[in-house]
Amino acid sequence: MTALVLVQVRPKAGDKLAQYSAASAPTIAAFGGEFIHRGKLHEVLAGADTAPGLGIIRFADVKAAKDWFASPEYQAIVPLRDEAADMSFILYETAG
């Protein structure tokens, strides 16, 4: 089943975030992933507050998503990610 990685983004350094985004894109594509959403929080309609930014990445399955996240290519840019923003990565398997 398809897997989605939701990335909650709390930016710290805009220039570093742009560098991270450019560096992460090929690592995602190498595992068959694709961004299906990138956006800024507009308004919380109900419930708890959330991160100001959200990205959603689709992979063919959970294994591909986990393989991407653990890959040496992605892990090499984690220090840049940590300078750029505080991020949470949440993995979902789609239902049907």
Side-chain angles (χ1 to χ4, degrees):
M1 288 193 175
T2 303
L4 299 175
V5 176
L6 278 65
V7 185
Q8 296 177 336
V9 181
R10 292 170 183 82
K12 295 192 284 190
D15 58 327
K16 300 274 186 184
L17 190 54
Q19 292 173 26
Y20 167 77
S21 182
S24 66
T27 71
I28 292 166
F31 288 85
E34 65 174 323
F35 268 96
I36 59 172
H37 171 81
R38 288 182 184 173
K40 294 180 181 178
L41 177 65
H42 177 72
E43 177 180 359
V44 176
L45 298 175
D49 195 5
T50 188
L54 178 70
I56 303 175
I57 310 166
R58 179 174 41 218
F59 288 92
D61 52 36
V62 167
K63 182 181 182 326
K66 291 174 81 172
D67 287 350
W68 160 70
F69 195 78
S71 71
E73 296 81 8
Y74 181 71
Q75 288 301 307
I77 61 171
V78 167
L80 177 59
R81 179 192 75 198
D82 292 344
E83 290 178 31
D86 292 324
M87 296 186 188
S88 298
F89 291 76
I90 306 156
L91 177 58
Y92 286 90
E93 186 174 50
T94 62

